[in-house]
Amino acid sequence: MTLVNIDYLPGKEIEVLGIVKGSTIQTTHFGKDFMSAMKTLVGGELTGYQELLTNARQLATKRMVDEAEALGADAVINVRYASASIMQSAAEVICYGTAVKSRDRG
């Protein structure tokens, strides 16, 4: 599955199949949340939150790809990510784009 954040595939003709998306809501456990709060006093990277968001992006992307494959797509163009805070220590991550079927120009 090809994933790009541009609205075309170089050298390919595309057939648009539709919008696809994947999302997840993730939260940290109290221990990581408490340690991250303490880290804000001294500064530095909040690795617990970094891991949380990395895992959430990967899961949201996988869910989007699964939806695209179900439509028969071989690529998703114009891929975008968005996130929102749902509550303290919980975030939603969504990945979306346009599922397409591609073929060589010729």
Side-chain angles (χ1 to χ4, degrees):
M1 177 74 57
T2 300
L3 304 176
V4 296
N5 68 349
I6 54 178
D7 59 0
Y8 63 95
L9 294 171
K12 304 279 187 178
E13 291 182 16
I14 59 172
E15 173 190 352
V16 173
L17 302 176
I19 295 173
V20 288
K21 83 297 184 204
S23 68
T24 183
I25 298 173
Q26 300 280 318
T27 185
T28 60
H29 65 72
F30 177 76
K32 279 189 177 183
D33 197 39
F34 179 76
M35 293 308 292
S36 292
M38 294 296 104
K39 183 77 166 186
T40 63
L41 297 175
V42 295
E45 184 175 10
L46 301 176
T47 56
Y49 288 128
Q50 178 63 37
E51 291 171 9
L52 169 84
L53 290 174
T54 297
N55 292 336
R57 279 190 298 272
Q58 290 172 346
L59 182 55
T61 302
K62 181 190 180 317
R63 290 177 175 170
M64 179 193 68
V65 167
D66 290 347
E67 193 172 305
E69 287 175 341
L71 292 175
D74 56 16
V76 181
I77 61 172
N78 211 22
V79 173
R80 300 289 187 258
Y81 290 91
S83 63
S85 177
I86 301 301
M87 57 185 276
Q88 187 174 1
S89 302
E92 175 191 31
V93 173
I94 185 167
C95 181
Y96 60 96
T98 303
V100 299
K101 205 166 191 58
S102 65
R103 61 186 166 279
D104 290 330
R105 290 185 183 172

